[in-house]
């Protein structure tokens, strides 16, 4: 008997996934350069048609144009098609980065608070002087 959670998960009662998961598209540098050139050369009314035909968003073109202008995107075939994957960070590294960011924010807030107090004339009390 199927349960409500089976219906919500989208998995059929048989337990197998009906379709394979879609994979992310990978664009070669040559394709990116050709598409950016075609987009830039298209008249104003035709730019959207180029994007629809290729199944792209304007953000793709913007990103690829910036990469081309900075020299990151080149037409060299020796360049790898897919970017090098970074190794996953360990839980300790993630926690360390999070704590460092928090520490920087707190130090910044403390500096602002001390500046505000000094402007108001309520100086920050110093350590007790030896009597």
């Amino acid at each position: 008997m199927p349960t409500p959670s089976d219906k919500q998960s989208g998995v059929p009662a048989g337990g197998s996934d009906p379709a394979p998961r879609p994979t992310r598209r990978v664009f070669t540098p040559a394709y990116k350069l050709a598409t950016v050139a075609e987009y830039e050369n298209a008249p104003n009314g035709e730019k959207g048609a180029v994007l629809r035909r290729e199944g792209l968003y304007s953000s793709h073109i913007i990103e690829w144009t910036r990469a081309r202008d900075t020299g990151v995107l080149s037409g060299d075939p020796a360049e790898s098609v897919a970017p090098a994957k970074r190794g996953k960070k360990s839980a300790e590294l993630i926690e360390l980065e999070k704590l460092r960011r928090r520490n920087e924010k707190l130090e910044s807030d403390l500096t602002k608070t001390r500046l505000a107090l000094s402007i108001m004339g309520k100086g920050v009390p110093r350590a007790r002087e030896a009597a």
Side-chain angles (χ1 to χ4, degrees), residues 26-30 32 72-85:
V26 178
F27 303 106
T28 63
K32 292 177 183 180
V72 175
L73 185 62
S74 64
D76 296 338
E79 192 174 303
S80 67
V81 174
K85 292 186 178 181

Side-chain angles (χ1 to χ4, degrees), residues 1 12 15 20-21 26 41 50 68 79-80 89 101 124-125:
M1 180 172 156
R21 289 190 61 170
V26 178
N41 292 330
V50 172
R68 180 198 61 193
E79 192 174 303
S80 67
K89 295 180 181 177
R101 284 191 304 270
V124 180

Side-chain angles (χ1 to χ4, degrees), residues 15-118:
S16 65
D17 195 16
R21 289 190 61 170
T23 57
R24 185 178 290 253
R25 294 187 297 174
V26 178
F27 303 106
T28 63
Y31 174 81
K32 292 177 183 180
L33 290 171
T35 306
V36 167
E38 181 181 3
Y39 181 83
E40 289 176 341
N41 292 330
N44 283 339
E46 301 296 319
K47 293 184 185 237
V50 172
L51 295 176
R52 285 189 297 275
R53 184 186 72 229
E54 298 295 329
L56 300 172
Y57 294 101
S58 60
S59 60
H60 288 118
I61 300 297
I62 293 168
E63 182 180 330
W64 297 346
T65 302
R66 287 182 184 155
R68 180 198 61 193
D69 293 345
T70 58
V72 175
L73 185 62
S74 64
D76 296 338
E79 192 174 303
S80 67
V81 174
K85 292 186 178 181
R86 289 187 223 148
K88 289 193 175 186
K89 295 180 181 177
S90 67
E92 293 85 15
L93 284 177
I94 293 170
E95 182 70 16
L96 181 63
E97 288 177 357
K98 180 180 173 184
L99 291 173
R100 284 184 178 158
R101 284 191 304 270
R102 183 174 179 207
N103 189 21
E104 289 173 6
K105 182 186 179 313
L106 291 173
E107 286 178 358
S108 172
D109 290 348
L110 178 62
T111 304
K112 290 177 190 174
T113 303
R114 285 185 176 163
L115 178 63
L117 287 173
S118 68

